[in-house]
Amino acid sequence: MSSASSTSEFDLECSHITKRFGAFTAVNDISFQIPKGSFFSILGPSGCGKTTLLRMMAGFLEPDEGDLTIKGRSMVGVPPNKRPVNMVFQHLALFPMMTVEENIAYGLKRQGIPKADIPAKVKDALERISLPDAGPKRVDQLSGGQKQRIAIARCLVLEPTVLLLDEPLGALDLKLREHMKVELKQLQHQFDTTFIYITHDQSEALVMSDQVAVMNNGEFEQVGTPQDLYYSPETAFVAGFVGDSNRWRGKISDMSNGTVSVQTDDGLKLTATAVGDTLAKGQNVDIFVRPESVALSRTADALSGMENILSGKVENLLFNGANSRVMVSDPSSGDKITVTLPQTGEFNDLQKGQDLHLGWRINQAKCFEELGVSDEELAELA
Amino acid sequence: MNKNAPKLGLILLMAPLLIWLFALIILPHVDMFFLSLKEKIAPRVYETGFANYGEFFIEPLYWNTFARTAFMSILTTIVTLIIAFPVSYYIAKMLQGRMKAVLFVLCLLPFWVSELVRTFGWMILLRETGIISNILQWAGLVDQPVEMLYTDATIIVGLVYTSMLFMVVPLVTTLESLDNSYVEAGYDLGGNGFTVMREIVIPHAMPGIVSGCIVVFMLSLGNYLTPILLGGKDSLWFTEQIYAQFITRFNWEQGSAFGFLLLILSSLIVWGGLKLSRQTLSNTMG
């Protein structure tokens, strides 16, 4: 308890947490701290161990090694009903045999709150989620978004230190999901509670979070703000998993001052910024370039200042309003490069088969130690 | 395709059921009903009236026997539920895969032996010269043979044993349909084992509990073999009265009236039970 004062700004801390199922290590030596009142997401493909980690925080699983503290108090061996955390389940788990009111009152009753005070607290909670009249309804009379809010209110009415959310938006349709992202963020501000949100959907994590941890194979690849992850990924996995990227695989032919020249497997020569200090000449690497950081031009001259220049034919136009993209194939290597179409009107009349020039700066291309998975596998994970 | 074809298919599919219901259930009952209304006023002279039903209420032996039978059947139902619930919960929620199937089959296994043989099994165990009596004497706990047959407790033991499967099957089915996340959410929101059971598991399992109870109650009430064999001559089971009227006394009119009374009174008890547990027959069976 001597460290309690120094760690009080953290609501939840994990140190060297490990969980094994037989020979399989689901969570491998993870340490992190979550500051009070923040929205922390754990982003990873299915099977990366994020659910196991969350269930350890909730108390449904005990870590094999390491310690988990909430507000400086160790939670190892503390059962779920004695922890100051509550969980919003993937399928919400609203009790179907109870009304909305009874669902929200369930936890209050268990906390031993005087019976006379419960209706007022339930009413207050329903008003805060803007469903003041939902109280007497049955759970199956609610829409998806309403259920979502009730499930969150059912937890927040207990004033937990940390609210855990296990991909609760997964079952909603796209439009409602977009809406709920904003609403969840608002609820978090309104109740001023620490949220820990696990998801495999990068846009959910990026939009809502203050901090995101990208998890893979039971370990955290990188923890940072959504901007950090997007603009300065530290590993090839993060670069490939968060956001879209063009990827080339190749060998380092030359390097100096953090800049590498890479001979790709398809025969291109590219220059890029080296990330990490383990890169060496002759090593197999991956280069990632985001579709929106590639400049497009109809003439070669306009791109003359750029370190990487390619030219090719329009292979395909993927029109999607503001998110339209063009796929350009490079005739020499056969590579297909996806580029976001600038919305300046200049390329509105672009046709399949036309010639285009592409270019990008050195700092837009990031070179990582080779990742052990193929493009297809990565796409499947994301 | 003929428009009436699906309808014809339905009729053909329903035909065996309807014939069975009509020929074996409705027809004999109608006949029994008319039989029960015949009052014997002299040899081979009958009048129509409710005297046979009146007999049930006038003669204390008859309605006492019925009340006793109903009470012991309710007791049997409660004991069966108390034993079967943890068993079913264990099978449905604690076990996975193979062990689940094995335990379920173990519950079913005794039913491959006929009820008569199973009941004789109990008699071999419990009679004065039986296995348990001998073990107790050998262990020095008693100094003379103990008779454990022919008591009310023995009847209930036998009935509970016979009814167990009919409680376990509906309970396992409803408990399996309970998503584990409800139980986890119950704990997560601060519940302990007792409150999660009372607020979440039991309300969810209520349809299974009620349908199991109805089946067990009806089977116990209508059971003949087990009460007679384990309870002996003094078992005073209502079915025994019906048997006596039909076979021993050759008074079919009285026996029919008792048969109808059993049907009506047991239906009333089930209806009362449904009202008490706020369930409806349709959501219990559905």
Side-chain angles (χ1 to χ4, degrees), chain B residues 163-217:
Chain B
S163 314
M164 195 57 84
L165 183 74
F166 301 99
M167 190 65 94
V168 168
V169 171
L171 282 181
V172 168
T173 314
T174 49
L175 286 173
E176 269 185 336
S177 71
L178 175 67
D179 192 327
N180 282 336
S181 65
Y182 292 126
V183 177
E184 284 180 348
Y187 282 106
D188 184 68
L189 295 165
N192 54 32
F194 174 72
T195 50
V196 168
M197 193 54 80
R198 191 189 63 194
E199 305 267 327
I200 294 154
V201 179
I202 291 180
H204 176 90
M206 211 54 197
I209 292 174
V210 171
S211 71
C213 284
I214 290 176
V215 173
V216 169
F217 174 73

Side-chain angles (χ1 to χ4, degrees), chain A residues 55 58 60 80-81 83 85-87 89 91-98 103 106-110 154-155 158, chain B residues 178-193 195-205:
Chain A
R55 290 176 68 82
F60 296 122
N81 53 357
R83 292 188 185 202
V85 297
N86 290 113
M87 182 155 158
F89 287 79
H91 300 294
L92 307 178
L94 289 173
F95 305 130
M97 50 291 215
M98 301 181 194
N103 262 287
Y106 173 88
L108 294 170
K109 280 188 207 159
R110 302 288 89 79
R154 183 175 74 170
C155 293
L158 304 176
Chain B
L178 175 67
D179 192 327
N180 282 336
S181 65
Y182 292 126
V183 177
E184 284 180 348
Y187 282 106
D188 184 68
L189 295 165
N192 54 32
T195 50
V196 168
M197 193 54 80
R198 191 189 63 194
E199 305 267 327
I200 294 154
V201 179
I202 291 180
H204 176 90

Side-chain angles (χ1 to χ4, degrees), chain B residues 18-36:
Chain B
L18 291 174
I19 291 168
W20 176 69
L21 268 176
F22 183 75
L24 292 167
I25 311 279
I26 296 172
L27 210 60
H29 272 80
V30 168
D31 189 50
M32 253 176 62
F33 180 66
F34 286 119
L35 207 58
S36 72

